[in-house]
Amino acid sequence: MSSPLAIPITVLKFGSSVLRSEADLPTVVHEIYAELRKGHRVLVVPSAFGSTTDDLLAIAKSQTPEPEPRVLARLLATGESTSAALLSLALKRAGICARLIGPESVGLLTEGGYLDAHPISLDLAAVHAAFEAAPVLVLPGFISRRTDGELALLGRGGSDLTAIFVASRIRASRCVLVKDVEGLFEWDPAGSATHPPRRFQNISYGDALGLSGSVVQHKAIRLARDEDLSFEVCGASSLGMEGPTGTIVGSKPSAWAELEAPRYTRLRVGLVGHGTVGAGVLDHLFGASEDFEVAGVLVRDLASHRANFVGTHSPVARYFDELFTTDAREFLDRAPDIVVEVAGGVESVEPLVRTALERGLAVVTANKALMAERGLALHEIAERSGTPLVYSAAVGCSAPLLEAAQRLRGTSVRGFEALLNGTTNFILELLQRGVPLDDAIVESQERGYAEADPTLDLNGTDAAQKVVLLARALFGRDVRLRWGLRQGLESPNLQDLLAEARGAEGQVRMVASCFLEGTASGRTAGPHEAFVEVAPVVLPSGSALAGIQGAGAGVLFALDTPDRSTLLVAGEGAGRWPTSEAVMADLLDLRRSPERFRGIVAGSSSAENTES
Ligand code: NAP
Ligand code: HSE
């Protein structure tokens, strides 16, 4: 395994055919998050939405038949500036820490004409500094700065050039041009030929230059050839899919894809719960209708849910009677492929989850209480049935904490300190500013951070359940936990801690810690015993976890490297959209590797199944 601290960078370019309008932003956010949760940093290069560039060009020409290039460049650049800004906002909504950068902030300099410039330099230190601040950078494609400070464009299809230039300069581990085609074909698959074209699995730079420049900009291919950078071209639906998808453009000789890109049928999803999280997941599922079909929504109180939709234009309203039910048996009989459990509780949902797994249905859940208390038994059932049981959203929401722990498993990681409960972190921040506790609790509930029973947040139970899941992901399911302090905001010394923090400019936070015994504090014990605690403590200003704001969550993994280095993984720890983003990531993983369930490939089992 490579060093856990060497963080690969993926460059993803989304073309106008994929980003047709702002309605496509959630899909693009899902793709970015999928790379992020693999442990990669992501530099995203969006094109303008749909036909924006052509529309702006037509408007300019309606003013004067020969627009001045310098002015036209400024006008057309607004297309990419807009899509990049909106994408950054969409990432923020999903709880993904992203930074909008521009050619001026990362020194993307070009020479040549205003409308067809060539990139010549990039300020690598500025890019790396931006990555220190956020794991995702959004750089509008097509736009650059000339050395005289004027704005210049990179020519038709110039976002391809932006992506390839930046990928080669920052030595990205992967560069993908995401288009509306599943790779490069011998001729346009949308054409009227009598038989379908063959897809290239690999294509040489030379052969790629023989194809129409409307698919990949020729200047971009020539730059990749000169820099010896191979890159991928694929469709949004096959990005991240296992198997023979897309086309790799590089120095290898061209070769046809032997197998057609796999086409999977839509997966039927049954949703249990339509509250803070469930409503977000349902909204995403409606937006991903090429991949998922909603089989049903199970709730307890039909009338109150129906009332929520009266007078709304929500697409859910139209299908309400068809989808919503209170009958668990009838719900399962609708034969979903996957059950998404976002209801909460343990006793009330365990029988349903158990039955789903016994029937071989995949289960995605956000329920840490269920997984901490009954997870081991549920995993056994899942393994017997050969079906996945995954729960990324249960710990950290948009902070991919379980994924990071699973990747570190088997390395010499000693343990971690973590902020795992968004509600109490949010409340503590308000308390420190003098807001009364009751008001802070109400605000956290209104924002959708708190559990249905907020006592679980306030008394440290929720954080404790998440520590259990993280410890299992990191050290194996057989890890034995020895509990030390387990306190919440009822801690008798909370007021003293708040006063201390105000004096020292520190932050009081509910900190969970978990260290293998015998490594963190000199205790001697077997390798699979860990000492765990949850309690409010004062974090000194400037410390890694103190930088996590609001309802954020994060884990600082302690590595047994000679310099005792640490790895921080952080993100939004609670709320509708960050949580439903993590649920969708699990769903899209299943969608993209269908061999992981229903025995499509015999004997398969997921990493989550075997490791946590
Ligand atoms: P919520 O707003 O209280 O919504 C729960 C929903 O589940 C309601 O629609 C409720 O239906 C339904 N429900 C509850 N028990 C049910 C049962 N036994 N059968 C059928 N439906 C049932 O809760 P939430 O905030 O969305 O949280 C849901 C789950 O996600 C919990 O496990 C929570 O720990 C987890 N989670 C939440 C967040 C967050 O930020 N909120 C983050 C990560 C994980 P009725 O309205 O009809 O009662
Ligand atoms: N109530 C939980 C929290 C939701 O505040 O962290 C996210 O798991």
Side-chain angles (χ1 to χ4, degrees):
M1 183 176 181
S2 60
S3 160
L5 295 182
I7 303 176
I9 301 175
T10 300
V11 172
L12 293 179
K13 178 256 167 175
F14 293 93
S16 300
S17 56
V18 175
L19 259 180
R20 292 160 299 185
S21 71
E22 59 269 29
D24 288 323
L25 288 171
T27 310
V28 168
V29 169
H30 299 331
E31 303 306 342
I32 294 166
Y33 186 60
E35 275 312 290
L36 193 64
R37 76 178 202 153
K38 285 184 205 159
H40 292 201
R41 286 172 167 168
V42 190
L43 193 144
V44 194
V45 178
S47 296
F49 290 123
S51 61
T52 306
T53 307
D54 286 336
D55 297 345
L56 289 171
L57 191 57
I59 294 170
K61 288 194 171 170
S62 72
Q63 300 300 313
T64 168
E66 288 186 21
E68 188 189 337
R70 181 175 153 277
V71 178
L72 187 58
R74 286 186 180 228
L75 176 67
L76 300 188
T78 60
E80 274 68 12
S81 298
T82 303
S83 59
L86 289 175
L87 177 57
S88 302
L89 297 177
L91 286 161
K92 165 90 181 146
R93 181 181 87 147
I96 297 169
C97 180
R99 174 165 282 220
L100 178 62
I101 56 175
E104 63 295 336
S105 59
V106 289
L108 176 52
L109 294 180
T110 46
E111 59 187 17
Y114 286 104
L115 299 176
D116 196 15
H118 308 278
I120 51 171
S121 64
L122 180 73
D123 181 349
L124 289 180
V127 176
H128 288 301
F131 268 131
E132 287 309 309
V136 177
L137 304 182
V138 182
L139 172 67
F142 191 43
I143 312 173
S144 65
R145 288 276 161 180
R146 290 158 40 119
T147 48
D148 62 6
E150 287 287 345
L151 197 149
L153 303 179
L154 300 181
R156 200 81 196 163
S159 297
D160 290 347
L161 186 56
T162 306
I164 284 172
F165 179 72
V166 172
S168 78
R169 289 295 161 110
I170 64 175
R171 299 186 180 282
S173 58
R174 190 173 176 217
C175 174
V176 190
L177 309 184
V178 188
K179 312 250 174 191
D180 64 345
V181 283
E182 297 301 326
L184 296 180
F185 293 80
E186 51 188 330
W187 63 76
D188 184 354
S192 58
T194 48
H195 62 281
R198 288 172 292 180
R199 178 172 57 87
F200 290 96
Q201 183 70 61
N202 291 287
I203 189 168
S204 67
Y205 299 118
D207 288 346
L209 286 167
L211 299 175
S212 159
S214 64
V215 188
V216 181
Q217 192 205 42
H218 282 184
K219 259 197 324 179
I221 299 172
R222 283 196 293 273
L223 178 74
R225 180 194 60 199
D226 297 347
E227 299 284 330
D228 196 20
L229 175 102
S230 49
F231 63 94
E232 297 160 54
V233 179
C234 74
S237 59
S238 59
L239 181 63
M241 198 170 251
E242 290 166 19
T245 58
T247 297
I248 299 171
V249 183
S251 51
K252 277 193 188 167
S254 301
W256 301 115
E258 285 183 16
L259 296 173
E260 245 337 289
R263 299 226 172 273
Y264 302 121
T265 52
R266 293 191 304 168
L267 294 175
R268 284 171 63 74
V269 177
L271 188 62
V272 186
H274 187 259
T276 301
V277 183
V281 174
L282 189 60
D283 189 75
H284 279 320
L285 289 172
F286 269 71
S289 57
E290 285 180 16
D291 291 325
F292 302 107
E293 178 186 349
V294 182
V297 182
L298 181 68
V299 291
R300 287 178 301 197
D301 178 1
L302 210 51
S304 71
H305 288 277
R306 187 183 282 111
N308 285 338
F309 289 107
V310 171
T312 72
H313 296 294
S314 159
V316 179
R318 197 147 28 109
Y319 300 104
F320 186 88
D321 289 332
E322 198 181 307
L323 293 181
F324 280 63
T325 177
T326 53
D327 183 338
R329 186 189 299 254
E330 190 262 324
F331 168 81
L332 283 179
D333 285 346
R334 294 180 184 196
D337 298 301
I338 306 173
V339 169
V340 174
E341 186 275 300
V342 283
V346 177
E347 307 298 340
S348 55
V349 292
E350 193 205 2
L352 180 101
V353 170
R354 195 178 266 272
T355 307
L357 293 171
E358 280 164 354
R359 289 193 189 182
L361 310 181
V363 171
V364 174
T365 177
N367 190 336
K368 53 273 170 153
L370 178 72
M371 291 310 300
E373 291 184 27
R374 307 288 157 83
L376 296 179
L378 292 173
H379 273 301
E380 276 182 25
I381 303 172
E383 277 155 20
R384 267 202 311 276
S385 301
T387 196
L389 165 61
V390 289
Y391 45 93
S392 178
V395 185
C397 301
S398 71
L401 303 183
L402 286 175
E403 291 79 1
Q406 278 157 358
R407 268 195 305 280
L408 286 171
R409 192 168 163 202
T411 67
S412 52
V413 61
R414 296 180 295 124
F416 60 85
E417 284 188 317
L419 305 188
L420 295 175
N421 183 265
T423 302
T424 44
N425 294 325
F426 176 79
I427 289 175
L428 283 164
E429 206 168 271
L430 294 189
L431 292 186
Q432 214 164 320
R433 280 196 244 134
V435 176
L437 177 63
D438 287 347
D439 293 355
I441 294 172
V442 169
E443 182 153 0
S444 73
Q445 287 174 313
E446 284 173 358
R447 288 175 179 240
Y449 299 155
E451 296 300 300
D453 173 5
T455 321
L456 298 175
D457 296 294
L458 302 178
N459 69 12
T461 302
D462 178 84
Q465 290 162 342
K466 291 167 178 167
V467 178
V468 171
L469 298 181
L470 268 173
R472 288 183 191 156
L474 193 59
F475 299 126
R477 273 190 232 152
D478 55 354
V479 65
R480 282 171 45 200
L481 302 179
R482 196 165 68 80
W483 279 94
L485 262 186
R486 193 168 150 172
Q487 283 184 346
L489 300 193
E490 80 289 355
S491 165
N493 56 357
L494 182 64
Q495 291 310 322
D496 294 343
L497 292 174
L498 287 167
E500 183 190 331
R502 280 189 205 108
E505 292 185 359
Q507 309 280 339
V508 183
R509 289 287 182 268
M510 185 107 91
V511 177
S513 61
C514 171
F515 283 92
L516 281 181
E517 300 246 59
T519 57
S521 52
R523 292 182 185 86
T524 52
H528 291 298
E529 288 189 12
F531 182 69
V532 279
E533 288 191 313
V534 173
V537 297
V538 178
L539 294 171
S541 129
S543 61
L545 292 178
I548 295 172
Q549 308 283 311
V555 176
L556 190 66
F557 292 101
L559 307 173
D560 219 359
T561 51
D563 58 351
R564 298 255 142 168
S565 45
T566 55
L567 175 69
L568 178 69
V569 182
E572 208 54 35
R576 168 172 293 168
W577 298 112
T579 313
S580 44
E581 193 59 42
V583 170
M584 283 305 288
D586 277 347
L587 283 170
L588 285 162
D589 261 9
L590 295 176
R591 164 87 175 90
R592 283 165 178 166
S593 33
E595 72 280 4
R596 289 174 73 184
F597 67 109
R598 289 209 295 169
I600 290 171
V601 171
S604 65
S605 75
S606 70
E608 280 89 346
N609 273 346
T610 53
E611 289 183 13
S612 61

